[in-house]
Amino acid sequence: MRLTWVQPEDLLPHELVASRADGKDARALESVRARWVAADGDPTPPASGASATPATPALRRLADELLDELDALPAAPNPDEPTEWDEIARSVRPSSLPHSGDDYVERLEGAWTGRAAGCLLGKPVEKIPREGIEQILRAGGRWPLTAYFSAVGLPAEVAARWPWNRRSAPTSLVENIDGMPEDDDTNYSMLALSLLERHGAGFTTDDVAQLWLDDLPAGRVFTAERAAYRNLLLGTPTDRTATVRNPFREWIGALIRADVFGWVLPGRLDAAMRLAWTDARLTHTRNGVYGALWAAGLTCAAMVCRDVDEVLDAAATCVPPHSKLAEAIAFGRDVGASHDLDAGLDRLHERYGDLHWVHVLNNAATIAFALEYGRGDFGASICASVTAGWDTDSSSATVGGVVGALVGPDGIGPAWADPIDGRIASTLPGGERRIADLVARTAELARTLGDVA
């Protein structure tokens, strides 16, 4: 078995990339890389989290040694990208948004349903690059994307060239969908509900860690979350789980966990941000953390705003303004404003095509692009996000949750909602959930937290 995202020989090439992004000493990084290559180590980061063959014992020992050296190197100071809450709070000016509450439950239903539908649309093509997605759609007579994917009519040679996501294909094509299948993007939303129900808005990062160990199967966490989970099992304190052998610390994982923190605090951007930061710091640093703050801002604003522009404007105030994430979001919005899908995707890939498909910057740019491009049209928004490639199910889950909240279940429409049948499967304790129950629990939390968050 080749376990992904934890093998030392697989982590090292990713850590070299992450350390360069952190501004660590360039000569030290080149020395580490040279020693690795001289020992026949592959310096190319594996796209799927594990190299094809395991390293020899000697090479693995060297990878362990080099990872420790890289972890010990200090990141370059960057006042534009703080990590601690007090510094972040000084760098941002979140908007204050009025909340009438009149249509809150309807927006919640749209948010939960939209998040599930967006995730479901992206599941079968997760890891497939943009060009592969387009070839699948064109070969099957389904270009441009307007509906859930199907294998019906897809030529065998195209299917062989671009195989569906192995885990998702049996449950996420239109011919086999039976409710929303299990996914980490929806598991984390349910887990956030449990976290708030148990601990309220005063939860700590230790509380997040304990809930993971209690309820979250280790095999259903990935990238930074798997690295942090491993660190927890090794007894690493939660103020270090994001930085020990975790080259994925600025990837998308924290962003996908933050939706509920905005949903339960409609219009209260500062409070939603604080909850998202407390959760995100378990696994991420800098732009990885800002992704969570932005997602909480998007979902918090989507519960009270009238349109996508208001949501994007409000959420932008939750991100340190001179950070790489703020730049990616602004770029995505600018590209989306042209309303030219092909040209827009070309620009996104020209700018961020060198990043791993699970990185936060390319996916946040995609989310901003899809929201701006779709202009509140649910199908157009999630289809634009998936067509971009990269982390298709995660980015489209966020887009779907935002637009779903704005348009409500009626605006999502039966073509997207009916296959889900109001059900979301889960590997968390209790198994499958009904969306109606999740909405009721979220609304109750919003009432409970209203005076204390």
Side-chain angles (χ1 to χ4, degrees):
M1 184 174 82
R2 294 291 292 146
L3 188 62
T4 57
W5 314 115
V6 293
Q7 311 285 358
E9 63 271 23
D10 300 325
L11 296 181
L12 184 65
H14 283 295
E15 181 54 52
L16 284 166
V17 174
S19 291
R20 281 194 293 272
D22 278 345
K24 294 185 177 182
D25 183 81
R27 292 204 301 182
L29 298 184
E30 183 51 39
S31 173
V32 167
R33 187 183 188 281
R35 289 157 62 194
W36 179 245
V37 172
D40 291 328
D42 187 348
T44 304
S48 296
S51 50
T53 56
T56 64
L59 192 61
R60 177 165 289 189
R61 285 194 295 272
L62 177 62
D64 281 328
E65 176 185 333
L66 296 177
L67 282 168
D68 288 342
E69 287 188 26
L70 292 174
D71 278 354
L73 292 173
N78 186 349
D80 289 334
E81 294 190 344
T83 291
E84 294 305 313
W85 173 252
D86 289 345
E87 296 171 331
I88 292 172
R90 285 194 295 270
S91 73
V92 298
R93 295 290 183 271
S95 303
S96 177
L97 304 173
H99 171 42
S100 69
D102 293 343
D103 59 354
Y104 175 68
V105 173
E106 182 181 359
R107 290 193 188 222
L108 267 185
E109 184 180 351
W112 274 106
T113 304
R115 182 166 179 78
C119 182
L120 179 55
L121 177 64
K123 279 177 71 65
V125 293
E126 185 183 15
K127 302 181 188 177
I128 298 178
R130 173 195 171 193
E131 61 268 24
I133 294 171
E134 182 170 343
Q135 286 183 31
I136 288 170
L137 291 167
R138 288 191 182 277
R142 297 171 178 269
W143 178 263
L145 179 64
T146 58
Y148 291 119
F149 285 89
S150 173
V152 175
L154 185 65
E157 64 271 18
V158 177
R161 187 182 311 130
W162 304 110
W164 304 112
N165 181 281
R166 176 181 56 83
R167 182 183 289 270
S168 298
T171 59
S172 303
L173 300 174
V174 70
E175 53 267 25
N176 58 35
I177 296 171
D178 181 18
M180 173 63 199
E182 183 270 346
D183 192 271
D184 59 329
D185 293 276
T186 47
N187 275 344
Y188 284 125
S189 300
M190 298 173 192
L191 203 66
L193 276 184
S194 296
L195 177 70
L196 291 165
E197 287 169 339
R198 295 184 190 186
H199 300 287
F203 72 83
T204 66
T205 307
D206 281 356
D207 292 329
V208 178
Q210 188 62 58
L211 182 61
W212 283 26
L213 295 173
D214 290 345
D215 287 2
L216 188 58
R220 299 305 297 142
V221 296
F222 308 96
T223 65
E225 285 70 25
R226 183 165 289 181
Y229 205 119
R230 176 209 60 217
N231 288 336
L232 289 173
L233 293 175
L234 292 174
T236 307
T238 55
D239 61 354
R240 297 184 60 232
T241 46
T243 56
V244 175
R245 295 199 180 187
N246 182 8
F248 318 118
R249 53 191 176 269
E250 291 193 278
W251 287 18
I252 197 177
L255 185 155
I256 73 175
R257 307 200 309 260
D259 284 41
V260 167
F261 301 132
W263 292 344
V264 299
L265 294 165
R268 301 180 61 190
L269 293 172
D270 53 346
M273 285 173 54
R274 180 58 188 262
L275 299 187
W277 175 83
T278 305
D279 175 87
R281 67 189 291 267
L282 179 68
T283 53
H284 287 74
T285 62
R286 294 187 176 178
N287 292 282
V289 170
Y290 311 153
L293 305 186
W294 185 55
L298 287 172
T299 58
C300 175
M303 302 310 294
V304 301
C305 289
R306 294 170 297 180
D307 57 42
V308 167
D309 278 337
E310 286 186 0
V311 171
L312 286 166
D313 288 346
T317 68
C318 300
V319 178
H322 304 296
S323 63
K324 289 190 284 291
L325 189 81
E327 179 184 345
I329 293 164
F331 181 76
R333 290 191 69 177
D334 178 66
V335 171
S338 70
H339 305 295
D340 185 326
L341 182 61
D342 289 337
L345 295 182
D346 285 344
R347 289 183 62 192
L348 285 177
H349 282 264
E350 286 167 7
R351 182 73 164 263
Y352 294 111
D354 61 322
L355 296 176
H356 191 277
W357 60 273
V358 194
H359 204 282
V360 74
L361 296 181
N362 48 359
N363 285 290
T366 297
I367 292 166
F369 165 78
L371 289 170
E372 191 75 53
Y373 171 85
R375 309 301 300 161
D377 182 298
F378 183 81
S381 300
I382 62 172
C383 288
S385 180
V386 169
T387 304
W390 291 318
D391 197 352
T392 50
D393 63 334
S394 295
S395 61
S396 300
T398 299
V399 170
V402 170
V403 181
L406 288 173
V407 303
D410 290 342
I412 292 172
W416 298 110
D418 285 358
I420 294 171
D421 190 34
R423 295 179 288 119
I424 302 178
S426 178
T427 48
L428 300 176
E432 182 180 272
R433 270 71 161 178
R434 302 290 308 184
I435 288 178
D437 294 335
L438 295 170
V439 169
R441 289 170 60 193
T442 310
E444 179 58 29
L445 275 169
R447 286 189 288 271
T448 302
L449 300 179
D451 295 328
V452 298

